[in-house]
């Protein structure tokens, strides 16, 4: 096997069972995930990291949730009509990710591209866990997922998130404020409770999934500098 | 797990879950429809649901099939999504409400097809672990040739995924279908004992098979019929 592999290439690493038929495919690129709730500055940081990597001469591919050719439109349509059950929603998002992993992420990694994902399985696991789905079931379901080289989590206090979300949209997202869960009729309270629960889920996953937590309460520039330095050190050490 | 009560992550439910499984052309859909007619005539609350029929999911799956975008993993996950939608919104709540739920294909279809397509058996089973085990699963055993002849009558061509063309078994769709169905049968056969299937010889005539189904289902109906008139109980015993 080693003889056939090009310099710098290695076998892919999956969290568990799932895409068994792709296990021995050699890849050369790197896979970086940025997680964090809406208003954590996640998308801004993905953009900044992408242009930094490109200016350093790397090919970069951006992915995220609901971006598969197969499922994305279906999720949007489903959300507009009858509310779906929690298991159904989780499985639909899982199909969306699996499609992207097989058709976008893996081919990019084979070609030596750096893949930067704006959210990944961790958001889905956290959202589903706070809605009552079992941790064990979730982690085996997402066993098909590729293990990233780095996972960042932008940690922002719920009250700061509320402020940022309101400043940007003048409204709160239905699901991101946990309105579907009926935890409180008071939307502010509901938002805070929901985001706290999500944050707790992320803390619980931090160790087992080797997440790098970054204090997202800091300014865009400060967060960007910290994140890019860590990525730079990782890539430089290869 | 012992005895009949349907169990899963959600625990016991009062309703009854009856499932038919078998390859395309085994005659299972005809049989479950006849069973439904009988139960309805007895005045029981019956709900029928079939594989791959959730409205919210069907468009995605059929789009993926048309464009031949599906991989074994996404094929599996979309069918799981379809099943979960029907399960969360219909099957489980209705079992809680003491309905008799009839399923044309259930998790065993997923086990068989996904494993044949190359998904890890342990993963597939875990994905579907939320589903209650049926009270009875009828497995319609039929030689692949017989099933194929029934399916191909009046049809000129097989669809891509239906024929298992994504598995590269053969460039000829009929040959691919034959091999694919043969492998599905192997999977079903391996489940017969473990999942306690009631095997029905699907080469028998329709009336004979239906009588066997009704004989097996009749004892399950006692709790439903206690409050009903005696004539009904007699009809059940005679499978009329």
């Amino acid at each position: 096997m080693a003889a056939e592999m090009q310099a710098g290439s290695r076998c892919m690493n999956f969290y568990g069972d799932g895409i068994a038929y792709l296990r021995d495919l050699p890849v050369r690129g790197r896979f970086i995930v940025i997680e964090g709730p809406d208003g954590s500055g996640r998308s801004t940081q993905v953009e900044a990291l992408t242009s930094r990597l490109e200016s350093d001469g790397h090919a970069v591919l951006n992915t995220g949730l609901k971006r598969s050719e197969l499922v994305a439109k279906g999720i949007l349509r489903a959300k507009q009509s009858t509310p779906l059950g929690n298991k159904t929603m989780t499985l639909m998002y899982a199909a969306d990710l699996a499609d992207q992993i097989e058709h976008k992420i893996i081919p990019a990694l084979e070609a030596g591209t750096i893949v930067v994902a704006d959210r990944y399985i961790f958001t889905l696991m956290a959202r589903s866990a706070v809605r009552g789905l079992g941790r064990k079931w979730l982690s085996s379901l997402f066993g098909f997922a590729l293990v990233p080289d780095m996972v960042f989590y932008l940690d922002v206090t719920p009250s700061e998130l509320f402020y940022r979300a309101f400043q940007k949209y003048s409204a709160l997202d239905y699901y991101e404020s946990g309105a579907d869960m009926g935890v409180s009729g008071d939307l502010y309270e509901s938002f805070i409770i929901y985001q706290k629960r999500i944050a707790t889920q992320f803390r619980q996953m931090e160790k087992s999934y080797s997440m790098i937590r970054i204090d997202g309460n800091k300014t865009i520039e400060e967060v960007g500098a910290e994140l890019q330095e860590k990525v730079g050190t990782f890539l430089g050490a290869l | 797990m012992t005895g009949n009560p349907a169990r899963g992550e959600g625990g016991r439910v009062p309703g009854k879950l009856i499932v038919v499984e078998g390859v395309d052309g085994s005659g299972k859909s005809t049989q479950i429809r006849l069973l439904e007619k009988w139960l309805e005539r007895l005045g029981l609350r019956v709900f029928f649901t079939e594989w791959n029929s959730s409205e919210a999911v069907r468009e995605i799956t059929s789009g993926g099939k048309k464009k031949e975008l599906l991989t074994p993993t996404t094929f599996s996950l979309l069918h799981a999504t379809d099943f979960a939608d029907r399960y969360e919104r219909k099957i489980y709540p209705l079992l809680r409400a003491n309905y008799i739920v009839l399923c044309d294909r259930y998790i065993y279809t997923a086990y068989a097809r996904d494993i044949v397509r190359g998904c890890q058996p342990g993963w597939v089973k875990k994905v579907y672990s939320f589903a209650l085990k049926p009270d009875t699963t009828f497995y319609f055993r039929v030689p692949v040739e017989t099933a194929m002849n029934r399916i191909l009558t009046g049809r000129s061509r097989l669809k891509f995924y239906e024929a298992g063309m994504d598995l590269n078994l053969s460039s000829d769709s009929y040959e691919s279908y034959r091999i694919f169905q043969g492998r599905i049968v192997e999977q079903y056969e391996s489940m017969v004992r473990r999942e306690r299937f009631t095997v029905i010889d699907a080469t028998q005539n329709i009336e004979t098979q239906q009588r066997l189904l009704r004989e097996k289902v009749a004892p399950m109906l006692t709790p439903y019929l206690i409050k009903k008139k005696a004539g009904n109980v007699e009809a059940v015993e005679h499978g009329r």
Side-chain angles (χ1 to χ4, degrees):
Chain A
M1 188 171 68
E4 289 169 24
M5 282 201 180
Q6 283 177 276
S9 72
R10 63 209 185 282
C11 277
M12 281 181 298
N13 199 6
F14 292 92
Y15 279 113
D17 288 340
I19 317 187
Y21 47 93
L22 292 177
R23 212 158 26 195
D24 296 326
L25 215 61
V27 291
R28 290 182 297 136
R30 295 286 161 183
F31 183 22
I32 298 164
V33 170
I34 303 182
E35 285 277 8
D38 281 358
S40 63
R42 197 188 61 244
S43 304
T44 310
Q45 295 302 339
V46 166
E47 224 172 277
L49 177 64
T50 301
S51 46
R52 171 65 191 273
L53 290 169
E54 284 175 344
S55 68
D56 286 349
H58 299 286
V60 183
L61 173 81
N62 286 150
T63 62
L65 305 181
K66 287 182 290 187
R67 295 198 205 167
S68 69
E69 188 186 347
L70 183 62
V71 196
K73 279 186 207 145
I75 294 179
L76 295 176
R77 254 199 315 270
K79 273 187 164 176
Q80 282 160 0
S81 55
T82 330
L84 296 176
N86 293 328
K87 293 184 191 87
T88 310
M89 212 65 218
T90 305
L91 285 163
M92 207 181 260
Y93 272 98
D96 167 70
L97 259 185
D99 185 54
Q100 294 192 68
I101 290 175
E102 291 189 77
H103 287 131
K104 281 162 71 180
I105 300 178
I106 289 176
L109 292 174
E110 280 183 283
T113 301
I114 297 180
V115 177
V116 180
D118 184 339
R119 296 190 145 165
Y120 194 51
I121 59 169
F122 311 105
T123 287
L124 301 180
M125 291 202 284
R127 279 183 192 167
S128 308
V130 302
R131 288 177 172 82
L133 301 190
R135 247 306 173 50
K136 270 191 173 169
W137 183 73
L138 290 167
S139 60
S140 22
L141 167 64
F142 289 106
F144 68 80
L146 204 54
V147 179
D149 292 289
M150 301 182 98
V151 182
F152 291 98
Y153 172 58
L154 305 182
D155 193 14
V156 180
T157 55
S159 53
E160 175 67 16
L161 284 176
F162 182 90
Y163 168 74
R164 291 186 190 175
F166 217 83
Q167 211 184 26
K168 193 169 170 191
Y169 304 109
S170 310
L172 295 176
D173 180 80
Y174 185 77
Y175 289 98
E176 285 285 306
S177 47
D180 60 309
M181 293 167 63
V183 284
S184 169
D186 171 352
L187 203 55
Y188 173 76
E189 195 176 67
S190 175
F191 182 90
I192 299 292
I193 294 172
Y194 179 74
Q195 292 297 341
K196 273 188 184 160
R197 288 186 188 170
I198 291 282
T200 306
Q201 290 296 328
F202 269 98
R203 291 235 169 76
Q204 286 170 3
M205 288 190 279
E206 204 174 301
K207 260 200 185 152
S208 42
Y209 292 100
S210 314
M211 289 186 198
I212 303 161
R213 177 141 53 111
I214 292 186
D215 181 359
N217 296 301
K218 293 182 185 166
T219 66
I220 293 175
E221 292 74 21
E222 285 172 315
V223 172
E226 189 179 343
L227 202 149
Q228 287 170 33
E229 194 209 304
K230 288 196 156 103
V231 173
T233 309
F234 170 74
L235 294 176
L238 293 174
Chain B
M1 220 166 20
T2 54
N4 272 334
R7 287 183 61 114
E9 280 175 5
R12 276 162 204 275
V13 290
K16 297 289 176 202
L17 177 57
I18 298 166
V19 168
V20 293
E21 288 278 6
V23 291
D24 295 335
S26 61
K28 62 187 179 325
S29 305
T30 305
Q31 291 296 332
I32 201 160
R33 283 299 189 182
L34 292 172
L35 192 67
E36 184 190 19
K37 292 273 181 251
W38 176 56
L39 295 169
E40 277 171 354
R41 199 176 62 208
L42 294 172
L44 302 173
R45 286 183 181 154
V46 187
F47 175 72
F48 168 81
T49 176
E50 62 191 322
W51 197 247
N52 208 16
S53 64
S54 147
E55 298 230 345
V57 188
R58 194 164 36 195
E59 247 177 281
I60 303 174
T61 316
S62 63
K65 283 181 180 171
K66 226 177 277 165
K67 294 187 205 156
E68 295 176 12
L69 274 178
L70 302 176
T71 67
T73 304
T74 53
F75 189 97
S76 171
L77 286 168
L78 285 181
H79 284 86
T81 310
D82 177 278
F83 177 79
D85 186 37
R86 291 181 296 116
Y87 190 83
E88 290 190 288
R89 288 202 284 185
K90 309 253 170 82
I91 299 173
Y92 187 67
L94 289 172
L95 286 172
R96 292 284 304 266
N98 205 15
Y99 266 68
I100 298 172
V101 176
L102 305 178
C103 295
D104 187 347
R105 297 187 175 279
Y106 199 62
I107 57 175
Y108 308 112
T109 288
Y111 290 3
R113 289 183 181 171
D114 293 349
I115 291 167
V116 167
R117 283 203 154 85
C119 293
Q120 289 282 314
W123 179 77
V124 178
K125 284 176 190 171
K126 191 70 195 178
V127 167
Y128 284 95
S129 62
F130 60 85
L132 289 165
K133 295 284 181 171
D135 291 278
T136 296
T137 304
F138 292 105
Y139 167 55
F140 291 80
R141 182 182 276 159
V142 64
V144 172
E145 293 299 323
T146 312
M148 273 190 79
N149 289 339
R150 288 181 189 168
I151 279 294
L152 297 176
T153 308
R155 285 184 55 176
S156 54
R157 39 186 292 208
L158 291 157
K159 289 181 228 151
F160 184 79
Y161 288 95
E162 179 183 37
M165 292 299 281
D166 56 318
L167 293 169
N168 294 316
L169 300 168
S170 166
S171 54
D172 175 59
S173 65
Y174 295 98
E175 186 53 25
S176 170
Y177 185 73
R178 192 188 320 272
I179 301 169
F180 183 52
Q181 295 299 310
R183 293 193 186 170
I184 300 273
V185 167
E186 278 171 27
Q187 287 299 322
Y188 273 132
E189 291 294 340
S190 76
M191 287 187 260
V192 166
R193 280 187 65 186
R194 193 173 1 111
E195 304 292 350
R196 293 183 317 210
F197 288 170
T198 299
V199 180
I200 300 291
D201 174 358
T203 59
Q204 301 174 99
N205 66 41
I206 290 173
E207 292 81 359
T208 309
Q209 293 181 54
Q210 184 61 205
R211 202 176 57 240
L212 293 170
L213 258 68
R214 292 182 185 189
E215 275 169 18
K216 176 81 183 174
V217 169
M220 281 182 223
L221 306 180
T222 320
Y224 291 98
L225 295 166
I226 281 170
K227 287 176 194 161
K228 294 189 181 286
K229 57 185 184 210
N232 260 346
V233 178
E234 203 178 308
V236 172
E237 279 164 1
H238 293 94
R240 279 185 270 138

